[in-house]
Amino acid sequence: MTVFAPWADEPPLRCLFLNNMVLDAHIGVFPHEQGVTQRIRVSVAFGVLDRDDLEVGADDLSRTVSYEHVVLLVRRIVSEGHVRLVETLAERIAAGVLADARVRVVRIKIEKLEVFEEIESVGVEIERRAIPQD
C-alpha cells in the first residue's frame, strides 16, 4: 500500500525499487526496545531520469543506479546503531539515496514487524525530492 500518487510533475522518470527487504534493527523509544533487535521491512523506490522517446537505450549500467548500491546503503545505515524512530531511519536512507545526483525522487517505506499481535506491521512512508540544480 502506498499513499502517494505517481510522479506526474517530473520529467520522464524510470522507477527502480527494492521491495520488502527484511533486516534486524536496533530501533525504538521504549525501554523494552533497548538492547535488542526488531525485525523491520524496508522498501525503497527511486526515480532516475529516463528517455522520453521510443529508442532503446544503451545496455549499460552507467545509465541507471545499481540496486546493489542501494541495498548496501540500507544495510549500512541500519547497522550503524540504535535509532529511536522509524521516521529518522527513513530520512537517513532517503538522504543516502538522494546523494546520487541521478536520483530525482525517493520513497522509503519502513515497517516494524511483530509489534502488535493482531497487526502485520506498523511504520512510515516518506517521499523526498532532490533539490533542483540551478
Side-chain angles (χ1 to χ4, degrees):
M1 177 185 89
T2 185
V3 296
F4 296 115
W7 298 318
D9 61 335
E10 291 286 339
L13 295 178
R14 174 177 293 128
C15 181
L16 298 107
F17 58 90
L18 312 174
N19 275 337
N20 303 322
M21 185 176 178
V22 177
L23 301 163
D24 291 321
H26 291 276
I27 193 163
V29 297
F30 298 109
H32 69 274
E33 297 176 303
Q34 309 302 311
V36 297
T37 60
Q38 296 183 61
R39 284 183 350 119
I40 62 169
R41 182 168 40 224
V42 179
S43 295
V44 180
F46 51 102
V48 298
L49 292 177
D50 199 6
R51 297 172 63 140
D52 62 355
D53 57 27
L54 296 176
E55 294 294 319
V56 175
D59 189 20
D60 187 84
L61 185 58
S62 66
R63 67 187 276 241
T64 191
V65 176
S66 170
Y67 305 111
E68 181 181 28
H69 170 76
V70 178
V71 168
L72 295 174
L73 172 79
V74 170
R75 286 181 186 158
R76 179 182 57 78
I77 291 171
V78 169
S79 71
E80 287 178 343
H82 192 91
V83 176
R84 294 172 49 90
L85 301 173
V86 291
E87 290 84 353
T88 302
L89 184 58
E91 291 162 356
R92 289 177 182 173
I93 293 169
V97 174
L98 285 170
D100 187 317
R102 297 171 292 179
V103 178
R104 307 306 306 144
V105 60
V106 63
R107 291 178 178 160
I108 310 292
K109 181 177 180 180
I110 299 183
E111 302 168 82
K112 290 173 71 173
L113 309 176
E114 304 165 352
V115 174
F116 297 101
E117 185 177 311
E118 69 277 17
I119 299 174
E120 181 181 335
S121 65
V122 297
V124 67
E125 184 173 4
I126 67 169
E127 177 178 285
R128 297 293 185 266
R129 294 176 180 270
I131 297 170
Q133 303 297 320
D134 294 330

